[in-house]
Amino acid sequence: AESVFRWTAEGKSVERRGAGPMDGSIFGRGAGEGFGVHICTGPIHVCGAEPGDVLEVQILDIWPRPSANPAFAGKSFGSNAAAWWGYQYNDLIDPPAKRETITIFETDAQAEWARAVYSYRWTPQTDPFGVRHETIDYPGVPVDHATIAKQPGVLAGVRIPARLHFGFMAVAPRESDIIDSIPPGYFGGNVDNWRATKGTTLYLPVAVPGALFSIGDPHFAQGDGEVNGTALELSLTGQFRFIVHKSGKATRPHVEGLVHPLLETPEAWILHGFSYGNYLRELGRNAQSEIYQRSSVDLALRNAFRATRKFLMECYRLSEDEALALISLGVDFGVTQVVDGNWGVHAIVRKSMLPEAKA
């Protein structure tokens, strides 16, 4: 079905009909131009989910999609782009100082490791709609291999261990009908935490009827920080189970009143903080552009700290002083990502340190 909405950017009114072809006349990006780069499955309406509830997303399995080319039967291929939005872009030491590099990887049928096949530096590409892309400014631009110089033998002898996960898992926020898929927030989204893998559970606060869950941005592997702008992007299939925890009827204390993404692994609780917990509300009318200018690790760390303190005080009935001592002595904070507009810091609380949570 065709969905139509209107929005305004840079003083120009744009009519959007799904992600169908457009002439690229507004932003010069190409067909289906717009903001946000993720191909997602969803939104999925979860029966019975209402604002104030919590959606539990159990990640039952994840596996790579194999190449359809018979010449590469049993293999899967992915890419990593050291792109202009990465943290490294203004701190390069080899010439040219401004460059984007793409590295292609392959995996075997077991998908335990990936190895690099070749790399190349981005050269200006013209898409099928005649739009020239000087940089990687739009997803899915076909690359003319006659215009690039492939470098084989890169990362020789290096194996990248599998960390299969979906970087984007979200429910719909209440503040706006249409949002950029790049910055994460209280609703989840482009959190990019590689620990959200098979056998773990993500909890998200429901903000709209039906929750409207979406998922995408599949990754074979990623390190904390996602420093060069992307993970090892590779097509994946996932299997999930949804459970709705009704407001006021939660049987597990960590669920009631949840206001941020919470990840549970067999060994730990992982709490997520962002530069702005709810940037859509905090930054006002121009939030979706302002967020890219105002994020910092300092803000994200403070929000992750506050979420962790609240979690320990409410779920384990620790006093504030007790929580502060435990946070400093036993909780590990890490930079989740510094590339998604709303930067992220996560806190890892090991379950082995704690007694049973107190309802």
Side-chain angles (χ1 to χ4, degrees):
E2 184 179 72
S3 61
V4 180
F5 63 92
R6 299 184 68 86
W7 61 291
T8 300
E10 299 179 2
K12 300 177 181 179
S13 181
V14 182
E15 186 170 88
R16 300 276 291 139
R17 289 180 167 85
M22 293 179 66
D23 62 9
S25 62
I26 304 298
F27 302 109
R29 288 179 152 192
E33 66 177 12
F35 295 107
V37 298
H38 301 104
I39 298 172
C40 293
T41 296
I44 299 166
H45 185 279
V46 180
C47 295
E50 297 291 339
D53 297 343
V54 170
L55 181 65
E56 177 179 339
V57 182
Q58 297 179 359
I59 306 172
L60 304 180
D61 203 359
I62 305 176
W63 63 95
R65 297 185 181 182
S67 172
N69 187 333
F72 301 106
K75 293 185 180 296
S76 298
F77 292 89
S79 64
N80 168 257
W84 61 267
W85 62 84
Y87 197 78
Q88 86 298 336
Y89 193 65
N90 294 308
D91 199 19
L92 298 171
I93 58 177
D94 288 339
K98 301 293 185 183
R99 64 184 186 273
E100 297 176 294
T101 303
I102 294 85
T103 306
I104 304 300
F105 291 82
E106 70 173 16
T107 74
D108 59 14
Q110 286 71 41
E112 295 178 353
W113 303 88
R115 68 175 187 87
V117 182
Y118 64 87
S119 69
Y120 63 91
R121 290 180 180 173
W122 180 267
T123 58
Q125 301 292 320
T126 301
D127 69 24
F129 293 84
V131 178
R132 182 177 171 87
H133 301 266
E134 299 290 338
T135 61
I136 307 173
D137 65 343
Y138 191 77
V141 174
V143 174
D144 181 356
H145 283 223
T147 67
I148 62 173
K150 295 182 181 180
Q151 301 294 324
V154 296
L155 293 174
V158 174
R159 298 195 303 172
I160 308 298
R163 289 175 169 176
L164 303 182
H165 66 283
F166 289 88
F168 185 101
M169 290 189 286
V171 292
R174 69 179 67 85
E175 287 77 13
S176 179
D177 290 337
I178 303 299
I179 65 166
D180 184 342
S181 69
I182 297 173
Y186 75 89
F187 48 85
N190 195 25
V191 175
D192 278 334
N193 191 333
W194 59 266
R195 297 164 185 83
T197 188
K198 176 181 178 180
T200 66
T201 299
L202 180 66
Y203 301 90
L204 297 170
V206 176
V208 301
L212 303 184
F213 179 80
S214 295
I215 186 166
D217 194 22
H219 296 162
F220 180 87
Q222 182 201 301
D224 285 337
E226 200 177 11
V227 170
N228 81 353
T230 66
L232 204 175
E233 316 284 333
L234 182 144
S235 295
L236 301 174
T237 299
Q239 186 177 33
F240 306 88
R241 178 186 292 122
F242 297 147
I243 297 174
V244 176
H245 296 272
K246 301 302 293 181
S247 178
K249 299 180 180 179
T251 57
R252 304 185 70 186
H254 65 275
V255 171
E256 190 65 41
L258 186 71
V259 295
H260 51 72
L262 174 65
L263 182 65
E264 181 181 9
T265 76
E267 297 81 23
W269 299 103
I270 302 175
L271 298 101
H272 295 89
F274 307 104
S275 298
Y276 293 87
N278 186 347
Y279 73 93
L280 293 167
R281 183 185 65 200
E282 295 173 69
L283 299 184
R285 183 173 182 178
N286 297 317
Q288 297 198 55
S289 57
E290 286 287 318
I291 187 60
Y292 289 98
Q293 311 300 323
R294 298 176 62 173
S295 288
S296 76
V297 171
D298 287 350
L299 293 172
L301 177 58
R302 180 169 296 281
N303 283 328
F305 155 69
R306 288 173 173 173
T308 306
R309 177 179 58 187
K310 179 176 183 289
F311 175 80
L312 292 173
M313 292 179 69
E314 293 185 357
C315 294
Y316 289 92
R317 298 294 190 264
L318 301 184
S319 70
E320 182 177 21
D321 288 343
E322 289 175 318
L324 295 178
L326 180 58
I327 288 171
S328 190
L329 299 178
V331 175
D332 294 320
F333 288 82
V335 177
T336 323
Q337 51 75 26
V338 289
V339 297
D340 294 338
N342 199 10
W343 292 3
V345 167
H346 57 268
I348 302 175
V349 181
R350 295 188 301 277
K351 293 178 179 178
S352 60
M353 299 188 300
L354 296 161
E356 288 294 321
K358 299 176 181 177

